[in-house]
C-alpha cells in the first residue's frame, strides 16, 4: 500500500513516499483511510521531539477516518462502517489499524475530513475544559492560538458548555476563523492584549485561560486571571517551557493545571467513550464541527507538516487518501 514514512528526523524533509505491507489485523480494526488528521504531535515526532519516539522508519498519523475493512468479533464494527479512530501511528497510509476501544462510528453530520480532525483536538478540548479547568456555565474562557486546530476546538466546546468565549489571534484572517468557530469576542495579540483580558468580567479578568502556546503568553496570562481563575497548560508551540513562582498562585488564589489528554487516557481508558458520549449531542446540534481549512493529498504530506510547523495553519489540516 502507499504510505508516507519518516525516514530521518529532519522534520517534514524526512518524510518520504513508500510502498509498505498493509498492517496486520491482530485484534485491531483495519480501516481503509479516506482522510488522516495532521497534528502538532506529528511534527514533533518528525524531529524526534515527542514523548513517543518510534524507531525509524515509521509512518506518522495519529487519527484517521474511513471505512472498516475488517474488525475483530465483538468490537461492534462491521465491514463498510464509517468510522473515525485514534491510531497514534500509521495514519498517513491507505490502510491503518486502530484499537477497537479508540474507534468510533463517524456521525452522519460529519465528512471523512471532519472525522479525521475531531478526535485529537475536540477530545483534548473537552478534557481540558471539564476535567482540568472545571468550567462552569457562564464563566469566561480565553483561548490562545484560537485559530489553530486545538484553539478552534476549544472555542466550539467552551461555547457549547455555556461559556463566554474570547479568542486571542494575530491577524484578521485568524480572527475570522475564530469567529466562525464560535468566539463571542476576538482580541488582537498585536495590541495590549493583557490589558484587554483584564477588563473582562467587569475588570476581574478571565475565569479560565487555555494556553497551547507557552513562553511569554503563559507569563502574561497569569496576570489576567480573576480570583479563583485557572490557567490550563495544553502545549508549548512557542518553544519555551515557562516556569511560575508559587507565591503568585498563593497570593492571587489562582491555579495552573496541565491538560495532557493522551497521558490521562493511558491510565483511564474509559475517558475516551465518556468524552465521545459528551460530544455527540454537541455534534448533532451543530455546535461542534471541525473546521477543516486545508486538505492535502497523501503525496503532499510534507507540505501539510510544514504548514503546521511554520504556524501558518488555521483550523484543522488533513490529508485525503
Amino acid at each position: 500500500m502507499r504510505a508516507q514514512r519518516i525516514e530521518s528526523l529532519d522534520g517534514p524533509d524526512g518524510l518520504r513516499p513508500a510502498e509498505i505491507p498493509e498492517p496486520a489485523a491482530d485484534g485491531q480494526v483495519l480501516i481503509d483511510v479516506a482522510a488522516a488528521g495532521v497534528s502538532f504531535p506529528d511534527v514533533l515526532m518528525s524531529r524526534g521531539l515527542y514523548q513517543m519516539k518510534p524507531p525509524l522508519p515509521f509512518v506518522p498519523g495519529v487519527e484517521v477516518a474511513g471505512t472498516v475493512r475488517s474488525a475483530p468479533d465483538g468490537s461492534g464494527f462491521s465491514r463498510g462502517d464509517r468510522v473515525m479512530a485514534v491510531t497514534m501511528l500509521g495514519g498517513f497510509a491507505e490502510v491503518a489499524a486502530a484499537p477497537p476501544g479508540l474507534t468510533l462510528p463517524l456521525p452522519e453530520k460529519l465528512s471523512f475530513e471532519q472525522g479525521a480532525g475531531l478526535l485529537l483536538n475536540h477530545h483534548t478540548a473537552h478534557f481540558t475544559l471539564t476535567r482540568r479547568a472545571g468550567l462552569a456555565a457562564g464563566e469566561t474562557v480565553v483561548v490562545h492560538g484560537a485559530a489553530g486546530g486545538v484553539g478552534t476546538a476549544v472555542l466550539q466546546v467552551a461555547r457549547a458548555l455555556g461559556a463566554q468565549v474570547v479568542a486571542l489571534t494575530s491577524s484578521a484572517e485568524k480572527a475570522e476563523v475564530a469567529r466562525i468557530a464560535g468566539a463571542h469576542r476576538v482580541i488582537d495579540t498585536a495590541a495590549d492584549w493583557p490589558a484587554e483580558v483584564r477588563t473582562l468580567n467587569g475588570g476581574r479578568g478571565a475565569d479560565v485561560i487555555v494556553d497551547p502556546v507557552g513562553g511569554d503568553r503563559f507569563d502574561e496570562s497569569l496576570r489576567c486571571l480573576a480570583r479563583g481563575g485557572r490557567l490550563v497548560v495544553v502545549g508549548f508551540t512557542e518553544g519555551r517551557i515557562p516556569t511560575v513562582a508559587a507565591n503568585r498562585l498563593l497570593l492571587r488564589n489562582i491555579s495552573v493545571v496541565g491538560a495532557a489528554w493522551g497521558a490521562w487516557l493511558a491510565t483511564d481508558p474509559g475517558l475516551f467513550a465518556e468524552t465521545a458520549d459528551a460530544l455527540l449531542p454537541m455534534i448533532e446540534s451543530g455546535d461542534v464541527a471541525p473546521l477543516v481549512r486545508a486538505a492535502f493529498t497523501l503525496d503532499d504530506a510534507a507540505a501539510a507538516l510544514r504548514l503546521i510547523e511554520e504556524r501558518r495553519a488555521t483550523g484543522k489540516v488533513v490529508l485525503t487518501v
Side-chain angles (χ1 to χ4, degrees):
M1 67 173 182
R2 290 188 307 130
Q4 290 279 340
R5 291 195 307 192
I6 295 290
E7 298 188 351
S8 62
L9 298 179
D10 299 312
D13 290 339
L15 202 60
R16 296 283 187 275
E19 286 285 338
I20 63 174
E22 294 180 0
D26 292 335
Q28 305 276 66
V29 179
L30 291 187
I31 300 167
D32 287 317
V33 178
V38 185
S39 65
F40 196 62
D42 295 316
V43 174
L44 293 176
M45 277 191 275
S46 77
R47 293 195 179 278
L49 299 176
Y50 197 57
Q51 53 262 41
M52 181 173 64
K53 295 178 171 61
L56 294 171
F58 65 90
V59 177
V62 300
E63 55 187 339
V64 302
T67 56
V68 173
R69 171 178 289 200
S70 67
D73 293 340
S75 67
F77 298 103
S78 302
R79 184 177 178 87
D81 287 349
R82 285 170 25 108
V83 295
M84 52 187 179
V86 174
T87 55
M88 291 313 298
L89 287 174
F92 291 9
E94 292 181 307
V95 182
L102 296 180
T103 304
L104 292 169
L106 179 63
E108 288 299 322
K109 276 185 170 287
L110 300 183
S111 66
F112 285 123
E113 290 79 10
Q114 289 176 310
L118 182 128
L119 293 178
L120 200 66
N121 289 342
H122 285 79
H123 279 234
T124 293
H126 191 272
F127 170 75
T128 295
L129 294 166
T130 60
R131 288 285 189 105
R132 305 304 293 135
L135 179 68
E139 288 192 309
T140 299
V141 176
V142 172
V143 184
H144 288 286
V150 171
T152 52
V154 173
L155 293 175
Q156 289 184 348
V157 175
R159 182 160 181 155
L161 291 170
Q164 290 295 306
V165 187
V166 179
L168 296 176
T169 63
S170 59
S171 69
E173 177 194 3
K174 291 181 178 180
E176 181 58 25
V177 172
R179 291 188 184 95
I180 293 170
H184 293 101
R185 177 177 173 183
V186 178
I187 295 174
D188 186 353
T189 57
D192 188 357
W193 65 265
E196 291 198 50
V197 172
R198 285 193 289 269
T199 67
L200 300 172
N201 282 332
R204 293 191 306 111
D207 297 303
V208 174
I209 299 179
V210 178
D211 179 19
V213 178
D216 294 343
R217 295 286 188 93
F218 175 94
D219 299 335
E220 291 292 342
S221 293
L222 286 173
R223 302 182 178 92
C224 299
L225 288 171
R227 184 179 64 183
R230 292 84 76 199
L231 173 55
V232 191
V233 178
V234 180
F236 311 104
T237 59
E238 183 183 290
R240 180 175 69 85
I241 298 176
T243 58
V244 59
N247 65 314
R248 298 174 66 184
L249 310 181
L250 172 68
L251 296 175
R252 299 194 56 234
N253 286 290
I254 58 176
S255 303
V256 175
V257 297
W261 170 73
W264 191 290
L265 186 64
T267 58
D268 180 12
L271 174 67
F272 189 75
E274 179 184 326
T275 305
D277 289 344
L279 288 174
L280 186 57
M282 299 180 189
I283 295 169
E284 292 175 341
S285 68
D287 292 329
V288 162
L291 295 181
V292 177
R293 301 281 295 182
F296 294 79
T297 66
L298 183 61
D299 291 338
D300 290 329
L305 284 183
R306 287 191 191 95
L307 189 71
I308 293 177
E309 184 173 56
E310 295 169 4
R311 300 179 66 177
R312 294 183 289 114
T314 59
K316 184 65 182 182
V317 179
V318 301
L319 303 179
T320 57
V321 180

